[in-house]
Structure formats: structure tokens, C-alpha cells
């Protein structure tokens, strides 16, 4: 018996009606835990650090409140009536409830209820881009004029684990609509998914587990390079055709290495490489990398975005900035402005803010 | 549990939705259907900008039940740009002093659990320093 080969079907996801981003908004909470502070507590300050520091949500923040702020920023840039949104979708692996949607809270807060779809999406770190692909289909099929997709996380890391250095908080919201109204057209997307158990959390567990080095080659690198390569082949492009690129960023090294493997320079990924200063924002990571890139992009710039979600899969997007971007990006707080709002905290404060103390 | 009350108040709490008086254009918060300025009926909804300034404030160290896990925190009287005064927590203060007249903006945050951690999460408006 021969082993069946996984042959990617080389067809792009391309909506019947051209679709684009008509509004986008980021959010990063203001508290920062330096990686050296985690090392001080757990390794006596020894060993390399995967990032400089990570963003930590305040005591009164969660994925719902953070999504609301990002969604409001996206609404400011889109300048549409919230009742025109026919979907509010929130991708996360840290939804505040196990059962009860985050998305209804967000939809209510921005005034999009009641004639809208609302659902929470889960696919580890690509839950947000999965919602983005669905929103492309929703708008591109003419079922909806506008749809919102959010990727947001307050990531969990087991105390002392390698992930505790990087598990950050933040994300972004996108409003998709017809290409002719958009500040950036999504030319096409391509998704590459296999059953690869590199990282998981069982329902009763508070913290996730991971496959150590197994999270690298067969998971992150395989899925991102396959998704990006097939997208670029089908689009007839190479790395040189893109002004900017954003890759999922669990630490500083991985996106730099995968960028090199795909032929991208460090300059091309620089605006969207936020992990050194906010950590891995999981479902928010690729999406907030794109908001930071849109904050500085110029009309005509082409952007490649590739997410990665453990379990595992990648969504790749080919995006072209239009001349509507310049007028809209100043209508809301920019990604780097959120990053600049910074309050450094120590490990003890982090433990309190993240609810790691048993109070009873 | 107070689910019906939280549910009824969600619009005003999540996004500062009040009312505007059709007779004298007075902006009303919280909504009460009768204009406190002219006494006329006022049921038209009005979304406040969320911008205002601190009129006065105090810091709570001995918090009431339900708020004890977030103490100490600062509560302020916030004068909204459109006129009404609201009482709300200030958030993200960063240990810097609060000043009377400080410009603030509304954000939607977690207020508390309804009951214990098994209850619903109550969200509502707070204000942070406007930059």
C-alpha cells in the first residue's frame, strides 16, 4: 500500500466580486512585561531571550473589550453605518467565555445588532485570518456589502514555560467591502491545512502544551512556505513583486527565517514585525502586523500576508494598496501609537493582572 | 444574579447611548425619557462622543463587594463634552496623578463578575486619559 501524497489543489480563493479592506483598526494594551523579567524569576536571568517584551492586558481587559476598541478604530476609518455590517466575527483562542459568543458583545457595542451574523472563530493563531477569508466570501458573493473580521488574543503561557516569554496580547479588526470602496484590495488568498499537532490546549487545561522543536519545521515553516509559495505561483509573483510582507510571529527568529526562505528581505518585513515589542499576539499576530504595515504603506504597494495557526494551517493573502488609504489612516489611532503607550510592569504585577494567583 | 438589569442597561453601558431632547436639544445621560431641562418627552437615542474631562475624583482602597479584586481604583465625576456628568472608573492611569480638568475618553472595559467567576461578565464604560 502506498502512502497518499498531499497534493495541494493549486486554485486560489478569489471572490466572484472583487473585495477589499475598507477599514482597519488595531489594539494593544499598555502594560509591558520585559522578557528579562521572566528570565529573572525562572532562570536566574540566564539564557537567550526570544523577544524584548510583551504586551499584557490590564485587570479590566479581555478579548471582548480589546476587540471593541479595535472594531471602533476600524469603524472610524471605514466611516460606514454599523447596521450595514452583516457579519461581526471574532477569532481568538482566549474568548472570555467557553460558551457565549464574544462577537455579540462586540456587535452590540459598535451598534451592528441585530441584523448581522455573529460568531467566534477558533483555529489557534489563525482564527482571525480564517474569519477574514470567510468575510471575503461573504462580501464577494454579494450576500453582504460589509463584513468585519477580528483577530484578538490575550495569550496564555504556563509559568516558567518557553511560551511565557512571548504570550502577548493585542490584535486587529478589518472591515471588508467592495474593492472599489477599499483602501487595499485583496487580490486573492490561499490556505494550506494539515492535521499537525504542534500546539494544543485540552478543554479542562488552563495552559497550552506544545511539541517543543516540533513546532518549527513540520508546523510553522512547512505551512507558511507552502501557503506563500502556492499563492505566489498562482499569482505569477515572486518576493520582489511585494513591497511589504507580514508573517505570523511567535518569536523574532521564525518570521525572519521564513522570510529569508521565501526570498524576502528584512526591510520588507520590518514594519509588520511587532513581536519583539508586543510579543506573540496569537490570532492577532499577522493581522496587527498588517495594520502596522498599512499605517505606513503607499498607494500601489503590494503586501503579502501569511498567518499560521497550530494544528495546523496557514492563510496567505495578496493585497494591493489603493489611493484611498492615505486619507483614511489618520482617522484612528495607529498601531505604533498604541505600542508607544507603554507601562512597564514586574513579574508580580503580571501574575496579578493575568489571574495566576489562587485567591481561594 | 441581576441578568435582566445588566441586559437592559447594555446599550448605555457599552457605548454611552443616551437621549436627545427634541424640544430643547438637551443631551441626556443616563436616558430617562423625560428631559431634565425642559420637562418635555425625550426618547430619541443619542450616542455620546465619549469625550469629557474630570470634574472631580477619589481613589477607592476599600472596595465594595464585586470590585475588591480591582482595588485600588479611581472613580471620577466626568463632565461629558455634550453636557451631562457621569460617574465612572478611570482606567490605565499608569500611577500618574489625576488632575481636575484632565481630558478623558470613554473605553468599554470589564466592570466585574455578576456574583462570582461562574456568573456573567459585566462590561461597561470607564474613562482613560485622552492623549
Amino acid at each position: 500500500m502506498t502512502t497518499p501524497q498531499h497534493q495541494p489543489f493549486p486554485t486560489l480563493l478569489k471572490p466572484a466580486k472583487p473585495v477589499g479592506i475598507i477599514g482597519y483598526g488595531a489594539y494593544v494594551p499598555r502594560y509591558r512585561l520585559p522578557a528579562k523579567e521572566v528570565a529573572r524569576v525562572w532562570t536566574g536571568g540566564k539564557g537567550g531571550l526570544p523577544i524584548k517584551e510583551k504586551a499584557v492586558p490590564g485587570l479590566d481587559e479581555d478579548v471582548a473589550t480589546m476587540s471593541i476598541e479595535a472594531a471602533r478604530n476600524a469603524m472610524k476609518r471605514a466611516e460606514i453605518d454599523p447596521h450595514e455590517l452583516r457579519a461581526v466575527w471574532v477569532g481568538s483562542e482566549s474568548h472570555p467565555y467557553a460558551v457565549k459568543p464574544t462577537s455579540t458583545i462586540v456587535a452590540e457595542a459598535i451598534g451592528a445588532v441585530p441584523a448581522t451574523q455573529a460568531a467566534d472563530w477558533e483555529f489557534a493563531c489563525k482564527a482571525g485570518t480564517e474569519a477574514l477569508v470567510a468575510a471575503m466570501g461573504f462580501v464577494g458573493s454579494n450576500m453582504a456589502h460589509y463584513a468585519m473580521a477580528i483577530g484578538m488574543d490575550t495569550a496564555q503561557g504556563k509559568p516558567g514555560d518557553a511560551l511565557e516569554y512571548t504570550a502577548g496580547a493585542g490584535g486587529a479588526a478589518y472591515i471588508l467591502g467592495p474593492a472599489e470602496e477599499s483602501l487595499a484590495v485583496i487580490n486573492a488568498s490561499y490556505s494550506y491545512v494539515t492535521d499537525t499537532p504542534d500546539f494544543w490546549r485540552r478543554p479542562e487545561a488552563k495552559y497550552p502544551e506544545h511539541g517543543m522543536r516540533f513546532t518549527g519545521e513540520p508546523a510553522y515553516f512547512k505551512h507558511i512556505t507552502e501557503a506563500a509559495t502556492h499563492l505566489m505561483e498562482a499569482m505569477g509573483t515572486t518576493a520582489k513583486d511585494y513591497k511589504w510582507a507580514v508573517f505570523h510571529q511567535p518569536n523574532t527568529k521564525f518570521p525572519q527565517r521564513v522570510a529569508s526562505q521565501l526570498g524576502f528581505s528584512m526591510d520588507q518585513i520590518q514594519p509588520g514585525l511587532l513581536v519583539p515589542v508586543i510579543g506573540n499576539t496569537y490570532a492577532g499576530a499577522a493581522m496587527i502586523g498588517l495594520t502596522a504595515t498599512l499605517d505606513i504603506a503607499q498607494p500601489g504597494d503590494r503586501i503579502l500576508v501569511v498567518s499560521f495557526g497550530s494544528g495546523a494551517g496557514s492563510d496567505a493573502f495578496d493585497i494591493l494598496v489603493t489611493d484611498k488609504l492615505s486619507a483614511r489612516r489618520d482617522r484612528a489611532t495607529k498601531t505604533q501609537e498604541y505600542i508607544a503607550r507603554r507601562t512597564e510592569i514586574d513579574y508580580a504585577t503580571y501574575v496579578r493582572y493575568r489571574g495566576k494567583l489562587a485567591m481561594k | 444574579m441581576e441578568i435582566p438589569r445588566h441586559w437592559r442597561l447594555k446599550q448605555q453601558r457599552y457605548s454611552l447611548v443616551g437621549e436627545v431632547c427634541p424640544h430643547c436639544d438637551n443631551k441626556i445621560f443616563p436616558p430617562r425619557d423625560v428631559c431634565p431641562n425642559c420637562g418635555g418627552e425625550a426618547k430619541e437615542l443619542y450616542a455620546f462622543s465619549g469625550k469629557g474631562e474630570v470634574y472631580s475624583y477619589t481613589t477607592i482602597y476599600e472596595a465594595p463587594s464585586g470590585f475588591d479584586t480591582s482595588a485600588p481604583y479611581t472613580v471620577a465625576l466626568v463632565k461629558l463634552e455634550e453636557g451631562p456628568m457621569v460617574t465612572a472608573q478611570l482606567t490605565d492611569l499608569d500611577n500618574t496623578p489625576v488632575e481636575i480638568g484632565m481630558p478623558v475618553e470613554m473605553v468599554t472595559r470589564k466592570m466585574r463578575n455578576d456574583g462570582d467567576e461562574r456568573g456573567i461578565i459585566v462590561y461597561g464604560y470607564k474613562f482613560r486619559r485622552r492623549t
Side-chain angles (χ1 to χ4, degrees), chain A residues 27 30-31 58-62 64-66 68-69 72 76 96-97 100 104-105 108-111 333 338 341-344 352 359-360, chain B residues 10-11 14-15 68-72 89-95 105-111 116-117 119-123 126 128 131:
Chain A
Y27 182 69
R30 69 175 299 127
Y31 304 98
L59 270 174
D60 58 1
E61 296 187 281
D62 63 16
T65 67
M66 292 161 59
I68 289 168
E69 182 149 351
R72 284 181 176 146
K76 283 179 191 167
Y97 289 92
K100 195 217 164 295
T104 53
I105 305 167
E108 186 82 47
I110 63 171
T333 306
Y338 276 114
R341 296 177 184 178
R342 176 184 179 279
T343 302
E344 186 172 320
R352 183 185 177 197
M359 303 291 282
K360 56 186 171 186
Chain B
K10 62 183 184 291
Q11 264 197 321
Y14 288 2
S15 26
D68 38 356
T69 54
S70 46
Q89 277 190 38
L90 301 182
T91 189
D92 287 354
L93 282 174
D94 192 15
N95 294 323
E105 62 187 357
M106 188 275 280
V107 289
T108 309
R109 293 289 174 93
K110 277 195 293 188
M111 308 297 288
D116 59 17
E117 65 280 356
I120 63 161
I121 304 165
V122 181
Y123 296 95
K126 295 188 181 183
R128 73 175 167 211
T131 50

Side-chain angles (χ1 to χ4, degrees), chain A residues 88-166:
Chain A
V88 177
W89 288 328
V90 183
S92 181
E93 58 183 82
S94 29
H95 290 291
Y97 289 92
V99 179
K100 195 217 164 295
T102 306
S103 50
T104 53
I105 305 167
V106 178
E108 186 82 47
I110 63 171
V113 294
T116 183
Q117 302 302 117
D120 293 358
W121 295 67
E122 290 196 13
F123 190 147
C125 296
K126 89 170 183 83
T129 56
E130 189 79 39
L132 200 60
V133 174
M136 284 172 65
F138 221 43
V139 174
S141 64
N142 265 328
M143 278 176 68
H145 200 62
Y146 302 119
M148 177 180 279
I150 300 172
M152 190 68 66
D153 252 308
T154 57
Q156 308 95 40
K158 193 188 297 178
D161 186 75
L163 293 182
E164 192 176 41
Y165 292 85
T166 54

Side-chain angles (χ1 to χ4, degrees), chain A residues 93 123-125 163 194-201 208-223 248 250 254 308-314:
Chain A
E93 58 183 82
F123 190 147
C125 296
L163 293 182
T194 70
D195 179 14
T196 304
D198 58 318
F199 168 99
W200 63 92
R201 180 165 65 83
E209 303 294 326
H210 56 85
M212 309 296 279
R213 287 176 185 277
F214 190 72
T215 59
E217 289 303 334
Y220 179 89
F221 291 102
K222 172 74 173 170
H223 291 78
H248 177 59
F254 275 27
F308 170 73
S310 289
S314 282

Side-chain angles (χ1 to χ4, degrees), chain B residues 51-64:
Chain B
K51 294 188 171 70
E53 62 178 48
V54 171
Y55 180 81
S56 190
Y57 66 96
T58 188
T59 299
I60 310 282
Y61 292 90
E62 294 296 328

Side-chain angles (χ1 to χ4, degrees), chain B residues 61-99:
Chain B
Y61 292 90
E62 294 296 328
S65 170
F67 295 91
D68 38 356
T69 54
S70 46
Y73 57 86
T74 299
V75 173
L77 290 169
V78 172
K79 177 89 171 153
L80 298 174
E81 274 187 354
E82 296 89 344
M85 188 94 77
V86 298
T87 308
Q89 277 190 38
L90 301 182
T91 189
D92 287 354
L93 282 174
D94 192 15
N95 294 323
T96 51
V98 179
E99 287 169 13

